[in-house]
Amino acid sequence: MSEAENPVFVRGRVPESVRARFKATCALEGRDMSDVLKELIEKWLEEHENPSPGGKKGKGD
């Protein structure tokens, strides 16, 4: 994210147990939950916005 870009909220639903595990693991690693989510979203976008050669998109397609 560039300095000029304003952060926004992204909402989603996961089971409470998943959120608790995510929160605890982020805390154990000294990571901010928002930073980890941003990394995961960016990785997903890289994989899905730039399809691999041969026309295969990946799992689930």
Side-chain angles (χ1 to χ4, degrees):
M1 180 167 47
S2 70
E3 290 296 319
E5 205 172 354
N6 292 324
V8 297
F9 285 97
V10 175
R11 290 184 61 152
R13 293 186 179 272
V14 296
E16 189 174 346
S17 61
V18 171
R19 180 189 176 274
R21 290 172 47 215
F22 180 61
K23 184 175 181 176
T25 304
C26 286
L28 285 171
E29 294 189 2
R31 304 281 313 272
D32 185 86
M33 290 171 53
S34 291
D35 291 340
V36 175
L37 285 171
K38 179 179 170 277
E39 287 176 19
L40 293 169
I41 291 170
E42 287 174 342
K43 181 179 177 185
W44 188 88
L45 287 170
E46 285 177 16
E47 292 172 359
H48 291 82
E49 286 181 333
N50 303 310
S52 62
K56 293 183 181 179
K57 285 186 173 181
K59 261 195 326 192
D61 293 327

